[in-house]
Amino acid sequence: MRVVSFSVPAWFPPRGGEEVRGEVQLTEQESAVFLCLATGASNAELAGELQLSVSTVKFHVHNIRAKLGGISRLQACLLAALAREGTRP
């Protein structure tokens, strides 16, 4: 299993007192779901795009949010958009 690192910006506000800073480790599939979250797509839309079941997408979104400190889906979408910007040449 390949693991992808993602850095949470220092300025990003923590949620519920859970602060996650530095590198967050996402599996390859979590990383694919994470980067697609930037589009604001629903779980069903993400499932179709990534050729996964909706329940698998839900599972990955839940894990991603937990690894990022229990953030909301909207916050995860914002971080995903920032991550996508950082991966462009």
Side-chain angles (χ1 to χ4, degrees):
M1 174 187 310
R2 187 169 156 257
V3 176
V4 179
S5 294
F6 169 72
S7 294
V8 177
W11 55 263
F12 196 78
R15 180 175 177 174
E18 294 181 47
E19 191 167 334
V20 175
R21 293 293 176 249
E23 296 288 315
V24 175
Q25 303 292 313
L26 300 177
T27 66
E28 192 170 356
Q29 217 171 44
E30 286 172 345
S31 180
V33 171
F34 176 66
L35 293 174
C36 285
L37 278 174
T39 65
S42 69
N43 288 340
E45 292 167 331
L46 291 173
E49 183 175 336
L50 297 169
Q51 298 181 349
L52 300 170
S53 70
V54 173
S55 62
T56 299
V57 170
K58 287 180 183 179
F59 176 77
H60 288 315
V61 170
H62 174 79
N63 287 343
I64 291 163
R65 291 177 53 214
K67 287 179 179 183
L68 292 172
I71 63 174
S72 70
R73 185 184 179 103
L74 181 58
Q75 288 175 311
C77 290
L78 172 62
L79 285 178
L82 291 172
R84 283 177 73 150
E85 284 295 316
T87 60
R88 292 186 182 167

